[in-house]
Amino acid sequence: MNEMNVTENAAGRSELLSRAGALLSEGRSLLLAAKDAEGASAAARALLAEARSRGQKCACINLQDVTYEETFIHRVVNAFFDSGVARETKETLARLLDLFLSRLENEGGPGSPAAIGADDAPYRTLAESFVHDEPGLVVLDGPTLFLGALYKETKNKERVARLLGWLKELRTAPGTQVRWVLADAAGLRDFAASLGLSAMVDDLTELAAD
């Protein structure tokens, strides 16, 4: 890469971060779309660094290698409580997770289509404990990879719809001061549209992160 391309790329990244920061300040949550995963991830990490420098509570959840819902829940729980964007204790969630995983095991094992109706208590508790009244930023890195894997494994649109709906509920809670950035290279809008779930992501402002 020559010096001119490096300069142009740096200027483009600076412009992207400036625009993204302005939109977040306006109360928007963002979908950073890129041709490659690293481009979206790098932009999201830069926004996290800026938010942390302002003293905001920040959580980053990497979903690029997640296949099963129980792994998703574990990562969300750890990120929420380690960052302070949730108020309940980890011990409370640990008990709920144990019940959730026990039910999965009894109904066919992790990721099994038989586990579609698993207990929603962890999600309810997470939503109830979420700290909406303090500025914060939550990054989901690679959400479409996880949701696509979940749908492929379970063949159940309702499970995907429930997760997308839960995430939208958190993003759009009245008066929330927490913004969300979804870093994605797999086409979240197209994936949602293919399942008739476009309304679950219509609150996100899309920015090209290439």
Side-chain angles (χ1 to χ4, degrees), residues 14-45:
S14 178
E15 181 180 352
L16 167 67
L17 295 179
S18 177
R19 186 179 178 198
L23 289 168
L24 291 170
S25 296
E26 291 173 7
R28 310 282 190 90
S29 285
L30 308 179
L31 173 61
L32 295 182
K35 294 178 182 178
D36 66 280
E38 180 54 35
S41 298
R45 288 195 299 268

PDB file of all heavy atoms in Angstrom, residues 14-45:
ATOM      1  N   SER A  14     -11.144   8.266   9.852  1.00  0.00           N
ATOM      2  CA  SER A  14     -11.412   9.403  10.733  1.00  0.00           C
ATOM      3  C   SER A  14     -12.795   9.982  10.459  1.00  0.00           C
ATOM      4  O   SER A  14     -13.540  10.313  11.390  1.00  0.00           O
ATOM      5  CB  SER A  14     -10.334  10.474  10.535  1.00  0.00           C
ATOM      6  OG  SER A  14     -10.610  11.599  11.336  1.00  0.00           O
ATOM      7  N   GLU A  15     -13.157  10.073   9.183  1.00  0.00           N
ATOM      8  CA  GLU A  15     -14.486  10.598   8.819  1.00  0.00           C
ATOM      9  C   GLU A  15     -15.584   9.662   9.305  1.00  0.00           C
ATOM     10  O   GLU A  15     -16.611  10.108   9.821  1.00  0.00           O
ATOM     11  CB  GLU A  15     -14.568  10.773   7.303  1.00  0.00           C
ATOM     12  CG  GLU A  15     -15.908  11.336   6.834  1.00  0.00           C
ATOM     13  CD  GLU A  15     -15.967  11.506   5.335  1.00  0.00           C
ATOM     14  OE1 GLU A  15     -14.926  11.336   4.668  1.00  0.00           O
ATOM     15  OE2 GLU A  15     -17.068  11.798   4.820  1.00  0.00           O
ATOM     16  N   LEU A  16     -15.363   8.348   9.146  1.00  0.00           N
ATOM     17  CA  LEU A  16     -16.343   7.368   9.613  1.00  0.00           C
ATOM     18  C   LEU A  16     -16.555   7.480  11.115  1.00  0.00           C
ATOM     19  O   LEU A  16     -17.694   7.514  11.596  1.00  0.00           O
ATOM     20  CB  LEU A  16     -15.876   5.956   9.263  1.00  0.00           C
ATOM     21  CG  LEU A  16     -16.631   4.806   9.954  1.00  0.00           C
ATOM     22  CD1 LEU A  16     -18.066   4.735   9.462  1.00  0.00           C
ATOM     23  CD2 LEU A  16     -15.916   3.478   9.727  1.00  0.00           C
ATOM     24  N   LEU A  17     -15.456   7.536  11.875  1.00  0.00           N
ATOM     25  CA  LEU A  17     -15.576   7.601  13.327  1.00  0.00           C
ATOM     26  C   LEU A  17     -16.224   8.894  13.775  1.00  0.00           C
ATOM     27  O   LEU A  17     -16.994   8.914  14.741  1.00  0.00           O
ATOM     28  CB  LEU A  17     -14.197   7.438  13.961  1.00  0.00           C
ATOM     29  CG  LEU A  17     -13.515   6.089  13.745  1.00  0.00           C
ATOM     30  CD1 LEU A  17     -12.150   6.066  14.404  1.00  0.00           C
ATOM     31  CD2 LEU A  17     -14.387   4.950  14.271  1.00  0.00           C
ATOM     32  N   SER A  18     -15.936   9.975  13.073  1.00  0.00           N
ATOM     33  CA  SER A  18     -16.548  11.263  13.408  1.00  0.00           C
ATOM     34  C   SER A  18     -18.056  11.212  13.182  1.00  0.00           C
ATOM     35  O   SER A  18     -18.839  11.653  14.033  1.00  0.00           O
ATOM     36  CB  SER A  18     -15.928  12.365  12.558  1.00  0.00           C
ATOM     37  OG  SER A  18     -16.552  13.605  12.825  1.00  0.00           O
ATOM     38  N   ARG A  19     -18.467  10.650  12.047  1.00  0.00           N
ATOM     39  CA  ARG A  19     -19.897  10.549  11.758  1.00  0.00           C
ATOM     40  C   ARG A  19     -20.587   9.589  12.720  1.00  0.00           C
ATOM     41  O   ARG A  19     -21.675   9.861  13.219  1.00  0.00           O
ATOM     42  CB  ARG A  19     -20.100  10.076  10.316  1.00  0.00           C
ATOM     43  CG  ARG A  19     -21.554  10.093   9.889  1.00  0.00           C
ATOM     44  CD  ARG A  19     -21.735   9.645   8.463  1.00  0.00           C
ATOM     45  NE  ARG A  19     -23.133   9.616   8.102  1.00  0.00           N
ATOM     46  CZ  ARG A  19     -23.634   8.956   7.066  1.00  0.00           C
ATOM     47  NH1 ARG A  19     -22.811   8.294   6.261  1.00  0.00           N
ATOM     48  NH2 ARG A  19     -24.916   8.967   6.806  1.00  0.00           N
ATOM     49  N   ALA A  20     -19.926   8.459  12.976  1.00  0.00           N
ATOM     50  CA  ALA A  20     -20.508   7.488  13.906  1.00  0.00           C
ATOM     51  C   ALA A  20     -20.654   8.085  15.295  1.00  0.00           C
ATOM     52  O   ALA A  20     -21.691   7.908  15.956  1.00  0.00           O
ATOM     53  CB  ALA A  20     -19.632   6.236  13.956  1.00  0.00           C
ATOM     54  N   GLY A  21     -19.632   8.808  15.749  1.00  0.00           N
ATOM     55  CA  GLY A  21     -19.703   9.439  17.060  1.00  0.00           C
ATOM     56  C   GLY A  21     -20.836  10.435  17.161  1.00  0.00           C
ATOM     57  O   GLY A  21     -21.530  10.515  18.186  1.00  0.00           O
ATOM     58  N   ALA A  22     -21.047  11.185  16.080  1.00  0.00           N
ATOM     59  CA  ALA A  22     -22.138  12.169  16.076  1.00  0.00           C
ATOM     60  C   ALA A  22     -23.493  11.476  16.153  1.00  0.00           C
ATOM     61  O   ALA A  22     -24.394  11.919  16.884  1.00  0.00           O
ATOM     62  CB  ALA A  22     -22.040  13.028  14.814  1.00  0.00           C
ATOM     63  N   LEU A  23     -23.648  10.388  15.423  1.00  0.00           N
ATOM     64  CA  LEU A  23     -24.918   9.654  15.442  1.00  0.00           C
ATOM     65  C   LEU A  23     -25.174   9.023  16.805  1.00  0.00           C
ATOM     66  O   LEU A  23     -26.303   9.039  17.309  1.00  0.00           O
ATOM     67  CB  LEU A  23     -24.911   8.575  14.356  1.00  0.00           C
ATOM     68  CG  LEU A  23     -24.988   9.084  12.919  1.00  0.00           C
ATOM     69  CD1 LEU A  23     -24.684   7.965  11.929  1.00  0.00           C
ATOM     70  CD2 LEU A  23     -26.363   9.680  12.630  1.00  0.00           C
ATOM     71  N   LEU A  24     -24.136   8.485  17.412  1.00  0.00           N
ATOM     72  CA  LEU A  24     -24.292   7.922  18.758  1.00  0.00           C
ATOM     73  C   LEU A  24     -24.695   9.006  19.747  1.00  0.00           C
ATOM     74  O   LEU A  24     -25.538   8.781  20.623  1.00  0.00           O
ATOM     75  CB  LEU A  24     -22.993   7.247  19.199  1.00  0.00           C
ATOM     76  CG  LEU A  24     -22.598   5.965  18.460  1.00  0.00           C
ATOM     77  CD1 LEU A  24     -21.188   5.538  18.832  1.00  0.00           C
ATOM     78  CD2 LEU A  24     -23.587   4.831  18.768  1.00  0.00           C
ATOM     79  N   SER A  25     -24.110  10.184  19.601  1.00  0.00           N
ATOM     80  CA  SER A  25     -24.450  11.301  20.493  1.00  0.00           C
ATOM     81  C   SER A  25     -25.897  11.742  20.315  1.00  0.00           C
ATOM     82  O   SER A  25     -26.516  12.258  21.245  1.00  0.00           O
ATOM     83  CB  SER A  25     -23.518  12.494  20.230  1.00  0.00           C
ATOM     84  OG  SER A  25     -22.182  12.165  20.546  1.00  0.00           O
ATOM     85  N   GLU A  26     -26.434  11.530  19.118  1.00  0.00           N
ATOM     86  CA  GLU A  26     -27.832  11.876  18.848  1.00  0.00           C
ATOM     87  C   GLU A  26     -28.805  10.825  19.389  1.00  0.00           C
ATOM     88  O   GLU A  26     -30.020  10.994  19.305  1.00  0.00           O
ATOM     89  CB  GLU A  26     -28.052  12.015  17.342  1.00  0.00           C
ATOM     90  CG  GLU A  26     -27.360  13.215  16.713  1.00  0.00           C
ATOM     91  CD  GLU A  26     -27.472  13.210  15.195  1.00  0.00           C
ATOM     92  OE1 GLU A  26     -28.206  12.327  14.657  1.00  0.00           O
ATOM     93  OE2 GLU A  26     -26.846  14.050  14.543  1.00  0.00           O
ATOM     94  N   GLY A  27     -28.249   9.738  19.907  1.00  0.00           N
ATOM     95  CA  GLY A  27     -29.109   8.689  20.451  1.00  0.00           C
ATOM     96  C   GLY A  27     -29.353   7.536  19.510  1.00  0.00           C
ATOM     97  O   GLY A  27     -30.201   6.673  19.776  1.00  0.00           O
ATOM     98  N   ARG A  28     -28.613   7.479  18.403  1.00  0.00           N
ATOM     99  CA  ARG A  28     -28.774   6.385  17.450  1.00  0.00           C
ATOM    100  C   ARG A  28     -27.945   5.178  17.868  1.00  0.00           C
ATOM    101  O   ARG A  28     -26.913   5.312  18.526  1.00  0.00           O
ATOM    102  CB  ARG A  28     -28.310   6.815  16.051  1.00  0.00           C
ATOM    103  CG  ARG A  28     -28.882   8.119  15.549  1.00  0.00           C
ATOM    104  CD  ARG A  28     -30.295   7.973  15.039  1.00  0.00           C
ATOM    105  NE  ARG A  28     -30.692   9.190  14.353  1.00  0.00           N
ATOM    106  CZ  ARG A  28     -30.517   9.409  13.041  1.00  0.00           C
ATOM    107  NH1 ARG A  28     -29.908   8.501  12.296  1.00  0.00           N
ATOM    108  NH2 ARG A  28     -30.936  10.536  12.483  1.00  0.00           N
ATOM    109  N   SER A  29     -28.388   4.002  17.465  1.00  0.00           N
ATOM    110  CA  SER A  29     -27.555   2.809  17.521  1.00  0.00           C
ATOM    111  C   SER A  29     -27.200   2.442  16.094  1.00  0.00           C
ATOM    112  O   SER A  29     -27.965   2.704  15.159  1.00  0.00           O
ATOM    113  CB  SER A  29     -28.293   1.656  18.213  1.00  0.00           C
ATOM    114  OG  SER A  29     -28.323   1.876  19.615  1.00  0.00           O
ATOM    115  N   LEU A  30     -26.024   1.829  15.904  1.00  0.00           N
ATOM    116  CA  LEU A  30     -25.445   1.714  14.576  1.00  0.00           C
ATOM    117  C   LEU A  30     -25.232   0.272  14.136  1.00  0.00           C
ATOM    118  O   LEU A  30     -24.975  -0.616  14.954  1.00  0.00           O
ATOM    119  CB  LEU A  30     -24.091   2.429  14.533  1.00  0.00           C
ATOM    120  CG  LEU A  30     -24.038   3.874  15.029  1.00  0.00           C
ATOM    121  CD1 LEU A  30     -22.610   4.395  14.936  1.00  0.00           C
ATOM    122  CD2 LEU A  30     -24.997   4.758  14.239  1.00  0.00           C
ATOM    123  N   LEU A  31     -25.320   0.090  12.817  1.00  0.00           N
ATOM    124  CA  LEU A  31     -24.889  -1.135  12.162  1.00  0.00           C
ATOM    125  C   LEU A  31     -23.698  -0.772  11.291  1.00  0.00           C
ATOM    126  O   LEU A  31     -23.841  -0.049  10.303  1.00  0.00           O
ATOM    127  CB  LEU A  31     -26.017  -1.720  11.303  1.00  0.00           C
ATOM    128  CG  LEU A  31     -25.658  -2.919  10.415  1.00  0.00           C
ATOM    129  CD1 LEU A  31     -25.181  -4.087  11.266  1.00  0.00           C
ATOM    130  CD2 LEU A  31     -26.840  -3.322   9.542  1.00  0.00           C
ATOM    131  N   LEU A  32     -22.511  -1.208  11.700  1.00  0.00           N
ATOM    132  CA  LEU A  32     -21.303  -0.960  10.926  1.00  0.00           C
ATOM    133  C   LEU A  32     -21.125  -2.116   9.950  1.00  0.00           C
ATOM    134  O   LEU A  32     -20.772  -3.231  10.337  1.00  0.00           O
ATOM    135  CB  LEU A  32     -20.077  -0.846  11.832  1.00  0.00           C
ATOM    136  CG  LEU A  32     -20.044   0.341  12.801  1.00  0.00           C
ATOM    137  CD1 LEU A  32     -18.737   0.329  13.576  1.00  0.00           C
ATOM    138  CD2 LEU A  32     -20.198   1.661  12.053  1.00  0.00           C
ATOM    139  N   ALA A  33     -21.382  -1.846   8.689  1.00  0.00           N
ATOM    140  CA  ALA A  33     -21.317  -2.887   7.668  1.00  0.00           C
ATOM    141  C   ALA A  33     -20.017  -2.768   6.895  1.00  0.00           C
ATOM    142  O   ALA A  33     -19.610  -1.671   6.508  1.00  0.00           O
ATOM    143  CB  ALA A  33     -22.501  -2.756   6.708  1.00  0.00           C
ATOM    144  N   ALA A  34     -19.361  -3.900   6.677  1.00  0.00           N
ATOM    145  CA  ALA A  34     -18.095  -3.902   5.959  1.00  0.00           C
ATOM    146  C   ALA A  34     -18.002  -5.159   5.097  1.00  0.00           C
ATOM    147  O   ALA A  34     -18.699  -6.141   5.333  1.00  0.00           O
ATOM    148  CB  ALA A  34     -16.922  -3.851   6.928  1.00  0.00           C
ATOM    149  N   LYS A  35     -17.138  -5.097   4.085  1.00  0.00           N
ATOM    150  CA  LYS A  35     -16.936  -6.261   3.228  1.00  0.00           C
ATOM    151  C   LYS A  35     -16.173  -7.358   3.962  1.00  0.00           C
ATOM    152  O   LYS A  35     -16.297  -8.537   3.636  1.00  0.00           O
ATOM    153  CB  LYS A  35     -16.183  -5.856   1.961  1.00  0.00           C
ATOM    154  CG  LYS A  35     -16.976  -4.921   1.056  1.00  0.00           C
ATOM    155  CD  LYS A  35     -16.155  -4.520  -0.154  1.00  0.00           C
ATOM    156  CE  LYS A  35     -16.924  -3.542  -1.027  1.00  0.00           C
ATOM    157  NZ  LYS A  35     -16.125  -3.082  -2.196  1.00  0.00           N
ATOM    158  N   ASP A  36     -15.362  -6.970   4.917  1.00  0.00           N
ATOM    159  CA  ASP A  36     -14.631  -7.961   5.702  1.00  0.00           C
ATOM    160  C   ASP A  36     -14.863  -7.707   7.186  1.00  0.00           C
ATOM    161  O   ASP A  36     -15.105  -6.576   7.607  1.00  0.00           O
ATOM    162  CB  ASP A  36     -13.130  -7.905   5.402  1.00  0.00           C
ATOM    163  CG  ASP A  36     -12.515  -6.597   5.861  1.00  0.00           C
ATOM    164  OD1 ASP A  36     -12.651  -5.588   5.136  1.00  0.00           O
ATOM    165  OD2 ASP A  36     -11.913  -6.564   6.947  1.00  0.00           O
ATOM    166  N   ALA A  37     -14.810  -8.786   7.951  1.00  0.00           N
ATOM    167  CA  ALA A  37     -15.109  -8.702   9.380  1.00  0.00           C
ATOM    168  C   ALA A  37     -14.146  -7.780  10.110  1.00  0.00           C
ATOM    169  O   ALA A  37     -14.546  -7.055  11.024  1.00  0.00           O
ATOM    170  CB  ALA A  37     -15.091 -10.092   9.999  1.00  0.00           C
ATOM    171  N   GLU A  38     -12.879  -7.789   9.725  1.00  0.00           N
ATOM    172  CA  GLU A  38     -11.888  -6.999  10.434  1.00  0.00           C
ATOM    173  C   GLU A  38     -12.163  -5.509  10.294  1.00  0.00           C
ATOM    174  O   GLU A  38     -11.949  -4.738  11.233  1.00  0.00           O
ATOM    175  CB  GLU A  38     -10.487  -7.325   9.930  1.00  0.00           C
ATOM    176  CG  GLU A  38      -9.382  -6.544  10.631  1.00  0.00           C
ATOM    177  CD  GLU A  38      -9.424  -6.674  12.144  1.00  0.00           C
ATOM    178  OE1 GLU A  38      -9.786  -7.747  12.656  1.00  0.00           O
ATOM    179  OE2 GLU A  38      -9.085  -5.691  12.832  1.00  0.00           O
ATOM    180  N   GLY A  39     -12.650  -5.074   9.138  1.00  0.00           N
ATOM    181  CA  GLY A  39     -12.962  -3.663   8.954  1.00  0.00           C
ATOM    182  C   GLY A  39     -14.041  -3.188   9.906  1.00  0.00           C
ATOM    183  O   GLY A  39     -13.919  -2.126  10.530  1.00  0.00           O
ATOM    184  N   ALA A  40     -15.111  -3.969  10.029  1.00  0.00           N
ATOM    185  CA  ALA A  40     -16.187  -3.608  10.947  1.00  0.00           C
ATOM    186  C   ALA A  40     -15.718  -3.675  12.392  1.00  0.00           C
ATOM    187  O   ALA A  40     -16.037  -2.803  13.207  1.00  0.00           O
ATOM    188  CB  ALA A  40     -17.383  -4.533  10.730  1.00  0.00           C
ATOM    189  N   SER A  41     -14.947  -4.724  12.726  1.00  0.00           N
ATOM    190  CA  SER A  41     -14.473  -4.889  14.096  1.00  0.00           C
ATOM    191  C   SER A  41     -13.543  -3.755  14.508  1.00  0.00           C
ATOM    192  O   SER A  41     -13.633  -3.241  15.625  1.00  0.00           O
ATOM    193  CB  SER A  41     -13.736  -6.228  14.246  1.00  0.00           C
ATOM    194  OG  SER A  41     -14.597  -7.314  13.985  1.00  0.00           O
ATOM    195  N   ALA A  42     -12.652  -3.366  13.607  1.00  0.00           N
ATOM    196  CA  ALA A  42     -11.695  -2.300  13.922  1.00  0.00           C
ATOM    197  C   ALA A  42     -12.415  -0.984  14.188  1.00  0.00           C
ATOM    198  O   ALA A  42     -12.069  -0.244  15.116  1.00  0.00           O
ATOM    199  CB  ALA A  42     -10.697  -2.139  12.783  1.00  0.00           C
ATOM    200  N   ALA A  43     -13.409  -0.677  13.377  1.00  0.00           N
ATOM    201  CA  ALA A  43     -14.169   0.559  13.580  1.00  0.00           C
ATOM    202  C   ALA A  43     -14.916   0.519  14.909  1.00  0.00           C
ATOM    203  O   ALA A  43     -14.953   1.517  15.648  1.00  0.00           O
ATOM    204  CB  ALA A  43     -15.148   0.765  12.424  1.00  0.00           C
ATOM    205  N   ALA A  44     -15.496  -0.626  15.235  1.00  0.00           N
ATOM    206  CA  ALA A  44     -16.216  -0.755  16.506  1.00  0.00           C
ATOM    207  C   ALA A  44     -15.271  -0.603  17.690  1.00  0.00           C
ATOM    208  O   ALA A  44     -15.612   0.047  18.692  1.00  0.00           O
ATOM    209  CB  ALA A  44     -16.934  -2.099  16.568  1.00  0.00           C
ATOM    210  N   ARG A  45     -14.082  -1.196  17.596  1.00  0.00           N
ATOM    211  CA  ARG A  45     -13.115  -1.074  18.690  1.00  0.00           C
ATOM    212  C   ARG A  45     -12.678   0.377  18.893  1.00  0.00           C
ATOM    213  O   ARG A  45     -12.484   0.829  20.032  1.00  0.00           O
ATOM    214  CB  ARG A  45     -11.894  -1.949  18.407  1.00  0.00           C
ATOM    215  CG  ARG A  45     -12.145  -3.444  18.549  1.00  0.00           C
ATOM    216  CD  ARG A  45     -10.839  -4.220  18.627  1.00  0.00           C
ATOM    217  NE  ARG A  45     -10.028  -4.043  17.433  1.00  0.00           N
ATOM    218  CZ  ARG A  45     -10.070  -4.843  16.369  1.00  0.00           C
ATOM    219  NH1 ARG A  45     -10.929  -5.858  16.339  1.00  0.00           N
ATOM    220  NH2 ARG A  45      -9.275  -4.633  15.327  1.00  0.00           N
TER     221      ARG A  45
END
